[in-house]
Amino acid sequence: MTRMPLPDIKNSIDRVIHAIEGRYTQGLSPASLTLAYLDWLTHTTHSPGKINEMLENMLRKASAFGLWAARASLDSEAPPFITPLPGDRRFRDVAWKRFPYNIMSQSFLLQEQWWHYATTGIPGVAKHHENVVSFAARQWLDLFSPTNYPATNPLVVEKAVQTGGQSLVKGLQNLLEDMQHNLLEEADPENQPFATGKNLAATPGKVVFRNRLIELIQYSPTTDKVAAEPVLITPAWIMKYYILDLSEHNSMVRYLVDKGHTVFMISWHNPDAHDRDMGMGDYLRRGVMDALKVINAVIPERKVHLVGYCLGGTLATIAAAAMARDNDDRLQSLTLFTAQTDFTEAGELMLFIDESQLSYMEDMMWDKGYLDTQQMAGAFTLLRSYDLIWSRMVSEYLLGESPRMNDLMAWNADSTRMPYRMHSEYLRRLFLNNDLASGRFRVGDRPISLRDIRVPVFCVATQTDHVAPWRSVYKVHDLMNTEVTFILTSGGHNAGIVSEPGHPRRHYQLGVQTAEDKHIPADDWVMRHESREGSWWEPWADWLSKHSTTQVTPPAIGNSDAGYPAIAPAPGTYVFER
């Protein structure tokens, strides 16, 4: 009789413990944080010269600050002792220039400056550990910012006086309502101003294909003639696809359709425990490649403009490289939005990427078979703690303001899960090991190389991107042996992409590099290319037209004879999965 193998009790116990811990640590590995702290502490205590320098810096700055504070208490026009960093919006209001709030804000900024000095530049500390400790120090200091407390925030005091205290009462009500929703795990109210399929993701079209992983949407034409080559958009699976089909005025899909393009969109299935073993290979094969197969049946004998956003762009790049390796010439061009191909400088997200952290996260996912939305949101919330935690707390709980909602915020709240295997694979193979840029990433039984890609590439990066920093995105120039049109646009990871014509205060820089051109460092590139006012969508639309062959009559929606009939109206069913 064959004996069933016994379960791995030791590993199971460890995973259960880590999964329970992770619910209270926002998915952060205590071991990873402890190692970083001990590395910093050990090297600091063994650097008496650095300690002496830190103490000298503290005493010198404290003495100078005392003299400044005495002057600033009598003169509100006194120049600041410390100028906040360009992106720091906390103390911009004129109220912070008045005594005693000017002293409070400048004292806080002085502490921030000193702790940055104390946590960086310690000889011997690993760069990753230094970044983690410095980041943790900033997060801890943010808790004590004078903006976060009623008595030390002049805007809160002024509004409380103006409203007779009603702003604080309203703030308390907002706090209690949020606590109730969180404790009871209640969904957002149904009477929100934005609804998917009504005023979000509302561009007309049909679902022409569905498998376990994707629905493929083909959008209805609005012009008498269209470009012969269709457009396939591969969005990131970390969020719903309709960031590219938001409201009518800022929908990229509608813009492309109105410009005379046949547009297909992948809408990803929101995975559950049954999908735990779906990996990167499944997302490539059952996602991009199945979509291309359908498009080739709906519009035969036409190449495809492949477009990818964020991780969807990385996946599109992998698909393009694998197709080039296998002499598959079905692509007309490749467009990438804020998509990284080299992950050596992947921004502050790398703070959460090391062996300890990934093992901890894998144990958390093992518990359910997927990474849920709350676990995933933890890291992004910490990276943007001012925007996502503190400013919201001040606005809603201290100033008593009602939450403001727009279409981008509604989309951002509609998050998705990620399967255990796929999330583990892409974090390890892309972020931790950088296999794609190093030529080690395998598709099937062989590695791929981005240098095999020969189709023209259009690459978009955004100036204030915290997920895919533009200098990291820029590395595409070093990895591809083809013509690359690179655009650096204003805005962040999401808002910089949703940048429709007519959007105020938008500008971009554009440059073209051929395969024969010599390398230009990223910062030199910025200096060489002038800034242009307007939306980058317009030069991209011109680029797509330039790289299309001719104009033809719009194709039918789907192809029943080939086995791909229209099976549901857009936006389909997967977009509604919770």
Side-chain angles (χ1 to χ4, degrees), residues 458-510:
F458 192 98
C459 184
V460 183
T462 57
Q463 290 177 334
T464 57
D465 198 329
H466 65 284
V467 177
W470 79 264
R471 289 176 179 81
S472 180
V473 176
Y474 184 83
K475 289 173 181 284
V476 70
H477 290 91
D478 302 327
L479 299 174
M480 294 187 183
N481 189 28
T482 188
E483 178 188 283
V484 176
T485 301
F486 186 80
I487 276 191
L488 178 61
T489 183
S490 55
H493 188 72
N494 297 322
I497 298 303
V498 183
S499 183
E500 72 283 357
H503 195 295
R505 298 178 300 279
R506 285 291 188 240
H507 54 85
Y508 63 90
Q509 294 167 272
L510 183 150

Side-chain angles (χ1 to χ4, degrees), residues 1 11 74 85 146 254 257-258 279 281 322 349 422-423 519 536:
M1 183 177 64
N11 284 339
L74 303 174
L85 295 173
R254 186 178 293 272
V257 170
D258 289 344
L349 203 58
M422 185 277 295
H423 194 51
H519 171 71
W536 66 265

Side-chain angles (χ1 to χ4, degrees), residues 68-88:
W68 175 88
R71 176 186 172 189
S73 63
L74 303 174
D75 180 10
S76 62
E77 298 300 320
F81 186 75
I82 295 177
T83 301
L85 295 173
D88 191 345

